[in-house]
Amino acid sequence: QVQPVESGGGLVQLGGSLKLSCAPSGRTFSGVAMGWFRQAPGEEREFVAAISWPGGTTYYADSVKGRFTISRDNAKSTVSLQMNSLKPEDPAVYYCAARRSSLASTNPRSYDSWGQGTQVTVSS
């Protein structure tokens, strides 16, 4: 089972940009749909973005549409989340997840393995 590992979180100014990356531990993301989710303190984990294998289909939460972009580099077996125009509602722990299917999904219950998460903080 592939184990995602996130990187790239940190502190960014309001309106700024940040890029998160996700790489597999032990295996590759070949044939696997991937998703990004986030969880703020006291909130439930929510869907952010998802991408199919090999990458022809993407989904976004309405709250990030037009600001965030999910992509994958299959040669390097990495998945990225480019976050632009960050808003006060964006700070959270961001999780990368892998799904044993080539089809992207917005449902967190359909994902089989999760990373440990990376913190994104936005300062004003």
Side-chain angles (χ1 to χ4, degrees):
Q1 182 167 309
V2 63
Q3 179 62 46
V5 179
E6 306 94 340
S7 62
L11 176 65
V12 63
Q13 284 194 328
L14 197 63
S17 299
L18 199 62
K19 186 174 183 178
L20 305 182
S21 295
C22 180
S25 174
R27 294 181 61 181
T28 72
F29 287 150
S30 178
V32 175
M34 302 295 298
W36 285 97
F37 296 79
R38 66 187 183 187
Q39 187 168 19
E43 302 290 332
E44 291 189 354
R45 191 170 297 189
E46 66 172 359
F47 168 73
V48 176
I51 189 166
S52 65
W53 169 268
T57 301
T58 57
Y59 299 129
Y60 295 94
D62 288 343
S63 59
V64 306
K65 204 170 290 183
R67 300 188 297 122
F68 290 11
T69 302
I70 189 171
S71 62
R72 64 190 306 160
D73 184 334
N74 294 331
K76 297 181 180 179
S77 198
T78 57
V79 177
S80 299
L81 184 69
Q82 177 66 47
M83 305 185 294
N84 299 328
S85 302
L86 284 161
K87 297 181 177 181
E89 56 264 37
D90 292 323
V93 177
Y94 282 70
Y95 296 91
C96 179
R99 184 169 187 253
R100 284 197 299 263
S101 168
S102 62
L103 303 177
S105 171
T106 64
N107 184 357
R109 294 185 180 85
S110 69
Y111 286 80
D112 304 291
S113 55
W114 294 78
Q116 294 299 306
T118 186
Q119 178 72 50
V120 171
T121 304
V122 178
S123 67
S124 56

